[in-house]
Amino acid sequence: MAAWLDLALLGDEATLTKAIQDLDGDGQGDALHSLAEAMGLSEMDITAGLIRVLVERVRPLALPATLWSRPIDSSEDPRPQIKSYFAKKGIPATRERMRAAYDLYVRFASERRDNVVKADDLRRCGFRCVHCGLAFCNEQLQDKVITSPFGNRGRDKLDALKPHWNAAEKMRKPTHDHEWPIATYGDNGQANLRVLCHGCNHGKENILALEQVKAWTGLVPRRAFVEPAPLDWTIFYAQLRHSPQCCLTGRTAADTELTVRLIDPEVAAVLGNLETIESRGI
């Protein structure tokens, strides 16, 4: 089935929008099946991903506009406004729903702060980035006065594709990532935090569903065709999200560093031409 290809080759937004709008019920089903097959996903995966993205689009409607716009330091109890808003929408203000709405408002109103990665956080993740497995050696922990069980790395690795080894030292330092992004009111609770290297955190940005929500993730920057270059951060993150274990050994970021290689060296470094492998050494 080539429906996915015909859609992907359309050259402008207006043409693509019209083509999608012109699909009848059978055409939509064929397109969905074709897209899922091309991406190696089930139709249920795509439906779940779509719902996840739409939830973020509808979240601003979960609370009355007066709450989103009122001063952050307001001491007025928001619950009466929430209850009145639900009543206008014809939605029962159950105890659970009121509690969830209040919690959402509190997350929105709370001042966001940077969470410092501490020794306990590093011990829980084995002193590795939980996404790519990069080992946090003493060089990455100098500003934390923490000693790494990996000791000193010494010389940086040579890796033409992994962007971490073609960037400044700070991109290999540990950071806290919010699995539910702060930008969509994820909280700073321990359950929502994990340790990523700065590079993977940068590559993730506000990814929510499937490999990405950015349409351009996976496309090769034009400069990469002019001269060889490491992967874009978002492409690297998306590849490991899609294939989180070494294709040869099955090992994951829990106990080894992961990188990527080209399936066909003569083809560009797009998601369909990458496979995840181990990166030897630390």
Side-chain angles (χ1 to χ4, degrees), residues 165-272:
W165 297 112
N166 297 275
E169 177 68 35
K170 73 173 186 177
M171 303 307 282
R172 298 187 288 276
K173 291 189 175 184
T175 65
H176 264 139
D177 166 61
H178 296 80
E179 287 202 81
W180 183 346
I182 283 287
T184 55
Y185 312 128
D187 61 30
N188 280 317
Q190 190 63 49
N192 193 42
L193 295 175
R194 59 180 185 162
V195 177
L196 295 188
C197 64
H198 192 156
C200 284
N201 207 341
H202 176 66
K204 176 197 171 187
E205 293 192 338
N206 293 325
I207 286 177
L208 293 169
L210 301 180
E211 279 73 43
Q212 66 277 331
V213 293
K214 289 184 175 179
W216 51 265
T217 300
L219 296 179
V220 180
R222 193 172 186 277
R223 66 179 182 275
F225 288 108
V226 179
E227 58 184 45
L231 291 182
D232 180 87
W233 295 101
T234 52
I235 296 178
F236 182 85
Y237 184 90
Q239 168 62 22
L240 264 62
R241 184 178 172 95
H242 182 65
S243 301
Q245 60 187 38
C246 175
C247 64
L248 302 175
T249 65
R251 296 179 72 187
T252 69
D255 60 0
T256 190
E257 182 181 348
L258 298 174
T259 185
V260 299
R261 70 180 179 187
L262 297 175
I263 297 173
D264 183 347
E266 301 300 319
V267 177
V270 294
L271 286 178

Side-chain angles (χ1 to χ4, degrees), residues 69-104:
S69 58
R70 79 176 186 171
I72 293 295
D73 58 357
S74 173
S75 60
E76 182 183 353
D77 188 345
R79 281 169 284 206
Q81 290 186 56
I82 294 172
K83 189 172 184 179
S84 175
Y85 178 69
F86 285 169
K88 289 179 181 178
K89 293 286 187 181
I91 299 172
T94 64
R95 179 180 298 179
E96 293 76 13
R97 191 170 282 139
M98 287 294 296
R99 183 185 299 116
Y102 180 75
D103 288 347
L104 174 60

